[in-house]
Amino acid sequence: MIKALSEARLAFQAGEVPVGAVIVRDGAIIARGHNTTETAGDPTCHAEMNAIRQAAEALGGWRLTGCSMYVTCEPCTMCAGALVWSRMEKLYIGTMDPKAGACGSVFNIVQDSKLNHNIEVEYGIMNEECSAIMKEFFAELRKIKRNESED
């Protein structure tokens, strides 16, 4: 999760929502990603999606069996669906997203018995650190918006 937090910091520095993800297979990081939605102008450029694309390229195919993802914030519905379809084995989540989370908060796509694949999930990995970077980002964003409205 430390490496995923490093990715989240890269997103923060770029003005992106600070979410970071890494994918591990056989004890080694094979992919990294952070949010690039704003800079890429692409709504699918979430940290998880960027890492999944990189892992698929590294492995030469879309099936990410035997892989685990560490992500600083609970994935949304799009990312949760991609995790299921990629056959991710395990998911480690830093902090939950009570407004849009799809791995236990609002929905639980990754463990829905109606789907053809389920993912083992572990919650609260470095929760305080993962939550703190999100809170800091949105506090700064609110401060900027407040200052702009006063001008």
Side-chain angles (χ1 to χ4, degrees), residues 27-39:
I29 294 174
I30 62 164
R32 301 167 184 266
H34 58 271
N35 279 354
T36 57
T37 304
E38 296 295 332
T39 50

Side-chain angles (χ1 to χ4, degrees), residues 134-148:
M134 295 291 278
K135 288 177 183 173
E136 181 183 353
F137 176 81
F138 285 108
E140 279 192 30
L141 193 62
R142 284 189 297 276
K143 185 177 171 184
I144 290 167
K145 288 185 187 276
R146 205 171 26 252
N147 289 340
E148 286 174 355

Side-chain angles (χ1 to χ4, degrees), residues 4-82:
L5 266 168
S6 293
E7 289 293 319
R9 285 186 196 96
L10 292 174
F12 191 115
Q13 291 166 358
E16 299 276 355
V17 175
V19 177
V22 295
I23 296 177
V24 175
R25 187 174 192 195
D26 298 327
I29 294 174
I30 62 164
R32 301 167 184 266
H34 58 271
N35 279 354
T36 57
T37 304
E38 296 295 332
T39 50
D42 182 342
T44 69
C45 286
H46 288 194
E48 302 93 326
M49 299 295 285
N50 289 334
I52 287 169
R53 286 183 190 108
Q54 193 178 99
E57 187 175 324
L59 297 176
W62 62 269
R63 287 181 185 86
L64 304 183
T65 53
C67 292
S68 298
M69 177 180 280
Y70 291 79
V71 63
T72 58
C73 187
E74 180 184 6
C76 69
T77 54
M78 172 183 68
C79 295

Side-chain angles (χ1 to χ4, degrees), residues 85-149:
W85 299 133
S86 71
R87 312 298 194 268
M88 191 70 58
E89 188 172 311
K90 192 156 184 184
L91 178 61
Y92 297 91
I93 298 172
T95 193
M96 300 302 279
D97 182 351
K99 292 183 179 178
C103 299
S105 289
V106 179
F107 302 105
N108 195 353
I109 292 170
V110 297
Q111 295 181 322
D112 191 318
S113 62
K114 295 178 209 119
L115 298 175
N116 66 327
H117 178 74
N118 283 222
I119 301 170
E120 184 181 342
V121 183
E122 195 170 319
Y123 303 95
I125 311 302
M126 296 181 67
N127 180 53
E128 288 182 28
E129 296 90 334
C130 294
S131 178
I133 193 169
M134 295 291 278
K135 288 177 183 173
E136 181 183 353
F137 176 81
F138 285 108
E140 279 192 30
L141 193 62
R142 284 189 297 276
K143 185 177 171 184
I144 290 167
K145 288 185 187 276
R146 205 171 26 252
N147 289 340
E148 286 174 355
S149 68

